[in-house]
Amino acid sequence: QVQLQQWGAGLLKSSETLSLTCAVYGGSFNSNFWIWIRQSPGRGLEWIGEINRRGGTNYNPSLKSRVTISVDAAKSQFSLKLGSVTAADTAVYFCASSVTFWADYWSQGSLVTVS
Amino acid sequence: QSVLTQPSSVSGTPGQRVTITCSGTSPNIGSNTINWYQHVPGTAPKLLIYSTNQRPSGVPDRFSGSKSGTSASLAISGLQSEDEADYYCASWDGSLKGRVFGGGTKLTIL
């Protein structure tokens, strides 16, 4: 059973860079996409972006100038960097993978607060 | 404001059938398939429906999806207390060149 576990700083100051890493366990690191999604307080889900197995990336246009998603297949991990954060970036961040279907496995998420 | 529009809440009694709608436009729901996710806050969201109307292995057949034009629906029959959660639709938007979600619907079991 595929499981995703993420980690990274939970409290940031404005203008800092958010950095999260997601590790994939319980199966080969074989996915069509590795994805980051967030949920701001009291709001719905927002797609941040994704990277495919060939290393191609696709980002939410509203975040594109500040986002970088990368993969380290040797470690079965993928990462998110979001630069110049503000209070509007305060959210629960999820990582997800697309083993068979888009976003078929998710992490539990972690809260990132920007003060 | 989410690209896909869902009712903020629906409710039902055990055993009842409820439907959650997801309204979009031609570049998203009108042209692409839809996934539905169930999310109990504090846990990992779960894929319920993929490709508009397909259930992954392990998802009960009480859950079903459909689409007509630029609107999609998730139906849940035989409501159970454990169905109380937030439900989200998702699709690809060919105009925005990205994935889009609905704002989420909170299902309350009365």
Side-chain angles (χ1 to χ4, degrees):
Chain A
Q1 180 73 353
V2 175
Q3 293 187 342
L4 283 76
Q5 185 172 350
Q6 64 184 84
W7 63 89
L11 181 60
L12 297 172
K13 297 180 180 178
S14 291
S15 80
E16 291 184 334
T17 295
L18 180 157
S19 183
L20 295 173
T21 298
C22 183
V24 182
Y25 302 100
S28 65
F29 191 64
N30 202 13
S31 177
N32 293 310
F33 297 98
W34 292 274
I35 307 155
W36 288 96
I37 292 160
R38 70 182 184 181
Q39 182 176 30
S40 301
R43 301 187 65 178
L45 300 173
E46 179 182 28
W47 174 73
I48 298 171
E50 61 195 40
I51 186 168
N52 63 32
R53 59 170 59 197
R54 293 177 297 279
T57 54
N58 193 7
Y59 300 134
N60 186 321
S62 69
L63 301 169
K64 187 174 183 177
S65 63
R66 300 191 289 131
V67 173
T68 301
I69 296 175
S70 59
V71 170
D72 186 340
K75 294 183 177 179
S76 296
Q77 296 175 0
F78 60 105
S79 298
L80 168 71
K81 290 190 186 298
L82 179 65
S84 305
V85 296
T86 67
D89 295 311
T90 293
V92 174
Y93 286 76
F94 299 93
C95 59
S97 65
S98 300
V99 176
T100 308
F101 315 113
W102 189 77
D104 49 5
Y105 294 96
W106 295 59
S107 67
Q108 287 191 328
S110 61
L111 175 63
V112 177
T113 302
V114 181
S115 63
Chain B
Q1 191 78 353
S2 300
V3 175
L4 306 180
T5 301
Q6 298 180 233
S8 58
S9 64
V10 297
S11 62
T13 57
Q16 203 172 23
R17 182 179 188 270
V18 296
T19 299
I20 297 171
T21 58
C22 175
S23 179
T25 57
S26 293
N28 42 68
I29 293 179
S31 305
N32 298 284
T33 62
I34 297 96
N35 284 9
W36 287 92
Y37 298 88
Q38 178 190 60
H39 183 217
V40 176
T43 70
K46 175 185 177 182
L47 176 65
L48 280 183
I49 299 288
Y50 68 94
S51 296
T52 304
N53 55 15
Q54 302 299 303
R55 286 184 308 276
S57 174
V59 173
D61 60 6
R62 301 186 298 105
F63 295 90
S64 63
S66 63
K67 182 178 88 166
S68 178
T70 58
S71 290
S73 296
L74 172 70
I76 310 172
S77 60
L79 277 179
Q80 301 179 2
S81 58
E82 58 260 38
D83 296 334
E84 187 160 287
D86 297 322
Y87 292 83
Y88 293 89
C89 57
S91 185
W92 172 264
D93 190 297
S95 177
L96 298 174
K97 300 289 192 295
R99 312 280 183 180
V100 291
F101 282 96
T105 299
K106 181 176 180 59
L107 170 62
T108 302
I109 308 300
L110 300 172

